[in-house]
Structures are given as C-alpha cells and as structure tokens.
Amino acid sequence: MLNANVPPSVPPLNQKNKALAALVAGIVLLVAMAGIRNIQPLLDSSLGALNVDPNMVPLVTGDEPIQELFVRAGCPVCHQIPGIVGAKGQVGPPLWLGKTGEARLADPEYRGQAQTVREYIVESVVSPGTYVVPGFPADTMPVWYGRKLSAGALDKIASYLEQAVEESAPRSP
Ligand code: HEC
C-alpha cells in the first residue's frame, strides 16, 4: 500500500492516491446506499434515547389523566399514539394495537407469553426485548418501565392501547 518513505504528495504516488481515493469513495457510497433506509431510525433512536432519561421520568401512578400519563412516561417521544396530543414519535411503531395487536400474537416469530392483545401490550412495555416488531430497532425501547409504571398505570395504558386504532383524518397540530 502506501510507501512510508515517500510523502504522499510526491508525484509518482499521485495516481495511486487518486485510485485509492476513488476506491474509498466508492466503498463509502455503497455502504451509504445500502444503509440509507436504516439511517433515519438510527438517528431517531439516538435522539429518543437522549430525550428519555429514566431519572427524568417520574413514577407514574395511574391516577393521571391518560394524556398526562403518556406524556409523563415519555412514550410520545418515540411513538405515535391516536388521541394523544403531541404523540408523533417515529422511532417505534404507531401504538394502535386495536389494529395491529392480533397480528403480533399470530406472528410465527412471536415467542412471548401473552395470550391476549392486552397481555401483549403489558409484556411489550415491561419486557421490550421479548418480541421486536419487524422493521423497528431492537434495544431502543427503554427497559426500565417496569420500575417506573405502577400496576395501575400499566393497566390504564393497556386498556387505552388495545382499543386504539389508526386515525382516518390527520390530527390538528
Ligand atoms: C426511546 C424510544 C421509545 C420509548 C420512549 C418508548 N418506546 Fe415503545 N417501542 C420502541 C421501539 C423502537 C419499539 C419497536 C421495537 C420493539 O418491539 O422493541 C417499541 C415497541 C413498543 C410496543 C409494541 C408495539 C407493537 O406494535 O407491537 C409497545 C406496545 C410499546 N412500545 C409501548 C410503549 C409505551 C406504552 C411507552 C411509554 C410507557 C413506550 N413504548 C416508550 C421505542 C420506544
């Protein structure tokens, strides 16, 4: 490769350098093209991880109104949630489990314990690694919700999300 005794700017090496530079540029381009679909979620997930710090999330008791409950828990940072103002996150799947829940349970890749959509939601929140929704990044959803959400809060989340369906009209901002 590069001859250590000759500074790279010396003319005889120039051609070689150009070829090398072209090769490197080609590789970079190939990698970028192959990875381009995955770059946005990666960016989003690092943003999300920055924004949701367990120390900043207070214990959610379940006595809060549903809007406040979701906001306090930080779910809107990563998820779109029908009916929750400001919940437009794109890191994770939209939380309309009334629409998608049955398909999760029916997925041959699903290896969790849940028998119902409601159980699936609780499992997804307290043990996100059990099943990773295809097309979304693993190890991104926080793993500490079991410690931050009371049983009542989890119950409220599950009842809400199991009924949530895709909104037909876009929400006003
Ligand atoms: C830092 C980003 C992030 C936060 C915050 C977050 N999630 Fe998630 N969540 C994800 C990602 C990414 C996935 C998809 C990968 C997976 O299944 O683990 C996911 C998956 C889920 C699923 C499964 C969805 C499906 O369609 O099967 C549920 C349910 C869920 N999250 C609920 C919540 C709730 C409720 C909160 C707040 C208490 C929350 N998430 C907070 C990133 C996040």
Side-chain angles (χ1 to χ4, degrees):
M1 294 300 276
L2 285 179
N3 184 342
N5 298 323
V6 186
S9 55
V10 168
L13 260 181
N14 252 352
Q15 282 310 103
K16 234 180 178 178
N17 277 351
K18 273 186 188 159
L20 194 67
L23 186 70
V24 169
I27 291 172
V28 167
L29 190 70
L30 269 179
V31 169
M33 280 165 66
I36 209 102
R37 275 180 38 226
N38 298 324
I39 281 175
Q40 196 53 48
L42 274 176
L43 284 177
D44 288 346
S45 69
S46 44
L47 282 175
L50 282 177
N51 288 341
V52 187
D53 175 341
N55 297 315
M56 301 297 289
V57 175
L59 183 72
V60 180
T61 64
D63 294 333
E64 304 86 351
I66 193 73
Q67 166 78 31
E68 189 188 333
L69 193 159
F70 277 120
V71 170
R72 281 189 131 200
C75 324
V77 174
C78 295
H79 290 287
Q80 191 179 330
I81 310 172
I84 302 301
V85 179
K88 297 185 161 86
Q90 301 288 320
V91 179
L95 297 183
W96 43 56
L97 279 298
K99 174 183 153 146
T100 51
E102 291 296 343
R104 304 290 188 247
L105 292 172
D107 185 342
E109 296 297 314
Y110 177 69
R111 303 263 185 276
Q113 304 292 311
Q115 301 292 322
T116 63
V117 172
R118 194 186 180 94
E119 286 169 8
Y120 169 76
I121 295 168
V122 173
E123 184 181 71
S124 299
V125 176
V126 299
S127 168
T130 300
Y131 172 77
V132 177
V133 179
F136 291 90
D139 302 322
T140 301
M141 170 133 171
V143 293
W144 38 256
Y145 276 125
R147 287 182 277 130
K148 290 290 185 178
L149 302 173
S150 71
L154 263 177
D155 207 48
K156 221 162 159 173
I157 288 174
S159 327
Y160 187 86
L161 295 182
E162 74 177 337
Q163 292 172 43
V165 290
E166 187 172 4
E167 289 160 327
S168 44
R171 239 167 308 140
S172 45

